[in-house]
Amino acid sequence: MDDNDAPPFPTATPLIRRRRFGALVGGALAGAMTSALPESSAAQPANLAGTKLVFASWGGVYQNTQKAAFCDPFAARTKATIVQDGPVDYAKYRVMIKSGAPAWDALDVEAAFLLSGGPDNLFEKLDTKIVDVSRLEPKYVNEYGAGVIVWAYTLGYSLTAYNEANHPRSWADLFDVKKFPGRRMMRDRVVPSLEIALLADGVPMENLYPLDVERAFRKLDTVKQDAVWWTTNSQCQQLLADGEVTMGVINNGRLWDIMKKGSKVGIEWNQSLKAVDYLVVAKGSKNVAAAMALINESTLPESQAVIANAMATAPTNPAAFALIDEAAKPWMATNPAYDKFSMLINEAYWRDNFKELSDRWAKWKLS
Amino acid sequence: MLAKPGFRLDRRVFLVLPALAVSLGLFIYPVGALLLRSLFEPVPGIQNYRAVVTQPVYAATLWNTVVISASVTAICIVIGYPFAYAIASAGPRARRWLIFAVLVPFWSSVLVRSFAWLVLLQRNGLVNQTLIALGLTDRPLLLTHNRTGVLIGMSHVLLPFMVLPLYAVMARIDSSYMKAAASLGAPPVRSFIRIYLPLTRAGLLNGATLVFVLGLGYFVVPALLGGAGETMIAQLIQSQVSDFGNWGLAGALSVVLLAAVAAAFALLRFVVPSAARAR
């Protein structure tokens, strides 16, 4: 199954043979390249003409940016055809994998799904002979996926309702309906709502996990009537931009996006909760090696800089920072200035508890 | 050559075949598959149905769904009845315009209309701005992400299903009945209750059934205009599938929805015979 078992193919494999043995070629290529160039651990596939890769992501501005950042350059260089699909739907994906013929080759997933999907045999193991993970910060590399962006849930607020001197500064303020009356928005999902509720209730960051679930739901009860619950990223942008709410939970990149489009909004980084998106290869993909090569493309600093400049997402490859606009840097979740008062969502906790607590969340919402 | 009558009937069967094929392939098969899954996933048994019955949140959502749908039906009657009457009694030119006014929203996408309501009803939206400018309220009313928003949005979308059956019935009512009642000394309210209302009963029931049954399965409007308290059963089904991958429970909830629809239709059949005669 591993590349080690693959018969060694010469680099100049004729097209027809390459097609037939497409899955093996990349691995063999990687082997050949590694021995030729011991300095670089990653192989650049020469020619993938005739290979069709399906890449699935989250749609909208994010996927368009990913297309421009690494899909298009990869397609141009290797002559592979890359088809965009999405949005990613975990239930649908599980069904695909079960059927043994995934329609997607590579996809963008959140960390919690990455961590639960690895043991569930949903992804191919990352082939580090093709994907040069040494470029990435080690904490963003997983056995099954390579981190592609780092982002954060932050407290966004309207500068029409508040000003730079007087605005909500913590999750406690988000829950304080006396000091800050009116409607606020929160994500209609158990992550990160439980974390936010506990931080608002005074639990220190370092003691957050394992979550005190009962306490979190008790705290959430206090804001239930005053909160608007958003489900999509576009929705939270609209709620804040149109003044439907004056503050709330929003992804930093989405807040940056509406600010660039003219909304008067501010961002509070205090207690921001960071998360990572990963690129993975679908288990049973017919183009594993080519899909790995596409992921490798996403680790390049120039690829990551394109996404960062468009969406203020932080790169997982530190070399990308040199290529990022100064204007975007204060909006990035990994800015060292925020390290002291921000934290990473504990995805291992959610791997073990997401399903059960999501069910509880749905019931709490309905009660 | 003369065809035998039997031949004709045979050939007409072919006319329904395309519809039958579409219905079998795109409705009966997937719905049947979902029903099977509700009995076999994750393990064979009735545990999914037991969950729907025993867990209060599911019953609460179902009740929510019925209450919202019934409220929308009531609103549609209150708005639709006089409107249908206005269409039926208008001159041909005005009638065309009034029908057009009902149909234009009918032709546009529910999604687009729900977003339009979101824009109109939100805190700084046109409705609130107008109310404040007129001095009717000093602070913006909360019209979205709550029951009010859902009722406004759903009533707007479903109103044509009330107006059109009512109009169809009203257009056929002979105006001499009302004149006769008046000439016999009945005051307008009495002749309306004794004569006009019974004559429109079939339209009213058809409209109410359509609005109520369609309302039960609503998804987009409560998802966009409602808050946590307006979750309807279709949203619950969707979240069971896409958030939890729980096809079994989603199937069981779908069966419950289907049963509710069937019950509403059965109720109509039970009530309608006298009304059908009135037609």
Side-chain angles (χ1 to χ4, degrees):
Chain A
M1 291 290 279
D2 283 305
D3 310 296
N4 308 341
D5 305 331
F9 278 99
T11 354
T13 316
L15 186 62
I16 298 160
R17 288 172 71 192
R18 186 180 300 117
R19 255 190 215 163
R20 186 175 301 161
F21 299 105
L24 304 172
V25 173
L29 268 179
M33 296 293 280
T34 322
S35 52
L37 302 162
E39 298 299 317
S40 156
S41 64
Q44 293 302 312
N47 189 341
L48 291 170
T51 302
K52 193 183 98 175
L53 277 179
V54 181
F55 175 68
S57 185
W58 299 89
V61 56
Y62 178 49
Q63 189 163 358
N64 289 341
T65 311
Q66 287 182 316
K67 180 175 181 290
F70 53 84
C71 295
D72 289 349
F74 180 78
R77 202 181 58 251
T78 62
K79 307 208 166 47
T81 310
I82 299 180
V83 178
Q84 302 289 326
D85 197 9
V88 172
D89 177 332
Y90 297 142
K92 192 167 143 187
Y93 178 73
R94 279 182 187 272
V95 173
M96 261 183 214
I97 299 299
K98 228 188 200 172
S99 76
W104 299 335
D105 294 303
L107 62 154
D108 183 304
V109 299
E110 290 161 290
F113 189 66
L114 173 87
L115 294 183
S116 60
D120 284 1
N121 220 7
L122 296 180
F123 313 120
E124 296 285 343
K125 277 210 169 106
L126 208 61
D127 185 344
T128 51
K129 291 203 282 297
I130 305 177
V131 185
D132 184 357
V133 293
S134 70
R135 291 191 190 116
L136 306 182
E137 274 195 59
K139 62 182 168 186
Y140 304 133
V141 178
N142 180 277
E143 196 181 350
Y144 295 94
V148 62
I149 56 163
V150 188
W151 50 279
Y153 290 108
T154 58
L155 176 57
Y157 52 87
S158 154
L159 280 174
T160 322
Y162 310 110
N163 53 52
E164 288 299 354
N166 170 38
H167 64 77
R169 293 177 190 278
S170 66
W171 296 128
D173 287 347
L174 177 73
F175 278 72
D176 193 338
V177 294
K178 287 203 183 74
K179 199 162 136 200
F180 298 97
R183 279 178 159 182
R184 52 266 276 124
M185 61 176 180
M186 291 183 72
R187 183 164 188 189
D188 183 4
R189 206 170 76 156
V190 68
V191 200
S193 302
L194 294 192
E195 280 97 337
I196 287 172
L198 289 171
L199 291 169
D201 210 26
V203 178
M205 281 184 176
E206 54 275 19
N207 301 339
L208 198 53
Y209 297 98
L211 300 177
D212 183 342
V213 175
E214 301 307 322
R215 182 173 174 182
F217 277 107
R218 273 201 306 276
K219 183 71 178 173
L220 283 162
D221 282 336
T222 65
V223 82
K224 194 172 181 186
Q225 296 309 318
D226 298 281
V228 176
W229 305 93
W230 57 266
T231 49
T232 66
N233 283 307
S234 309
Q235 203 185 349
C236 69
Q237 292 185 295
Q238 176 264 329
L239 287 169
L240 194 59
D242 290 351
E244 184 71 5
V245 299
T246 54
M247 67 159 111
V249 179
I250 185 168
N251 303 357
N252 63 311
R254 297 289 177 156
L255 191 61
W256 195 54
D257 185 50
I258 57 172
M259 187 213 61
K260 279 195 297 182
K261 287 170 183 161
S263 292
K264 290 192 182 116
V265 289
I267 188 166
E268 177 54 65
W269 285 98
N270 184 28
Q271 298 178 319
S272 59
L273 294 159
K274 285 180 281 192
V276 186
D277 268 24
Y278 288 83
L279 296 188
V280 295
V281 175
K283 185 80 187 177
S285 156
K286 294 196 171 48
N287 301 299
V288 174
M292 292 288 173
L294 177 67
I295 292 180
N296 183 53
E297 187 85 17
S298 79
T299 64
L300 296 172
E302 49 271 31
S303 301
Q304 298 210 341
V306 171
I307 307 179
N309 284 331
M311 299 205 61
T313 54
T316 53
N317 179 341
F321 279 110
L323 307 170
I324 293 170
D325 298 340
E326 286 304 316
K329 283 182 183 167
W331 285 83
M332 290 192 173
T334 58
N335 189 315
Y338 312 140
D339 277 353
K340 254 187 281 172
F341 42 80
S342 72
M343 65 181 292
L344 200 61
I345 291 175
N346 186 337
E347 302 295 353
Y349 176 83
W350 287 112
R351 172 194 63 205
D352 301 333
N353 297 287
F354 181 67
K355 213 167 169 157
E356 189 196 325
L357 289 178
S358 290
D359 200 43
R360 169 109 190 244
W361 173 260
K363 286 176 183 158
W364 174 79
K365 277 280 305 296
L366 295 172
S367 61
Chain B
M1 198 182 117
L2 281 168
K4 288 178 191 167
F7 260 103
R8 282 214 161 156
L9 264 180
D10 265 4
R11 278 205 218 123
R12 273 189 290 180
V13 168
F14 291 109
L15 296 177
V16 300
L17 279 183
L20 197 66
V22 167
S23 172
L24 267 177
L26 300 179
F27 183 71
I28 310 279
Y29 169 73
V31 169
L34 198 58
L35 300 197
L36 278 181
R37 293 183 90 156
S38 74
L39 290 169
F40 289 97
E41 281 188 22
V43 290
I46 57 159
Q47 74 279 356
N48 290 317
Y49 292 91
R50 193 177 299 140
V52 170
V53 175
T54 55
Q55 299 199 14
V57 284
Y58 300 130
T61 308
L62 192 63
W63 177 241
N64 246 351
T65 308
V66 170
V67 169
I68 290 174
S69 218
S71 315
V72 169
T73 309
I75 293 169
C76 283
I77 291 174
V78 170
I79 300 174
Y81 199 93
F83 193 77
Y85 181 79
I87 301 178
S89 53
R93 205 183 143 83
R95 176 178 299 186
R96 218 173 300 136
W97 279 108
L98 288 173
I99 292 178
F100 188 66
V102 176
L103 288 179
V104 166
F106 188 57
W107 289 329
S108 44
S109 134
V110 176
L111 194 64
V112 172
R113 276 186 284 169
S114 302
F115 276 119
W117 275 119
L118 203 56
V119 173
L120 286 176
L121 295 176
Q122 63 189 351
R123 205 163 157 272
N124 299 328
L126 192 64
V127 171
N128 267 320
Q129 281 176 0
T130 310
L131 291 176
I132 291 169
L134 292 174
L136 293 173
T137 173
D138 51 352
R139 67 178 61 179
L141 302 176
L142 296 180
L143 301 173
T144 56
H145 305 291
N146 56 18
R147 187 64 57 101
T148 314
V150 173
L151 293 183
I152 293 174
M154 281 181 66
S155 301
H156 176 229
V157 175
L158 290 168
L159 192 61
F161 295 96
M162 179 63 77
V163 171
L164 296 176
L166 273 175
Y167 163 67
V169 171
M170 288 175 178
R172 275 180 281 153
I173 294 176
D174 193 334
S175 61
S176 54
Y177 291 149
M178 296 297 277
K179 283 179 197 147
S183 73
L184 290 170
V189 173
R190 190 181 162 90
S191 58
F192 173 78
I193 292 173
R194 294 292 298 273
I195 298 176
Y196 202 80
L197 196 59
L199 286 173
T200 56
R201 192 170 158 193
L204 201 58
L205 279 168
N206 281 335
T209 313
L210 274 175
V211 170
F212 183 73
V213 164
L214 289 171
L216 289 179
Y218 258 56
F219 174 79
V220 171
V221 178
L224 285 177
L225 294 170
E230 283 70 44
T231 304
M232 290 175 71
I233 193 162
Q235 289 166 276
L236 201 56
I237 294 170
Q238 189 267 348
S239 87
Q240 284 302 325
V241 170
S242 65
D243 300 342
F244 302 111
N246 195 345
W247 288 83
L249 189 59
L253 288 165
S254 307
V255 171
V256 170
L257 177 58
L258 205 61
V261 169
F265 268 117
L267 203 66
L268 175 81
R269 281 242 148 187
F270 181 69
V271 182
V272 98
S274 59
R277 255 181 281 127
R279 240 180 194 176

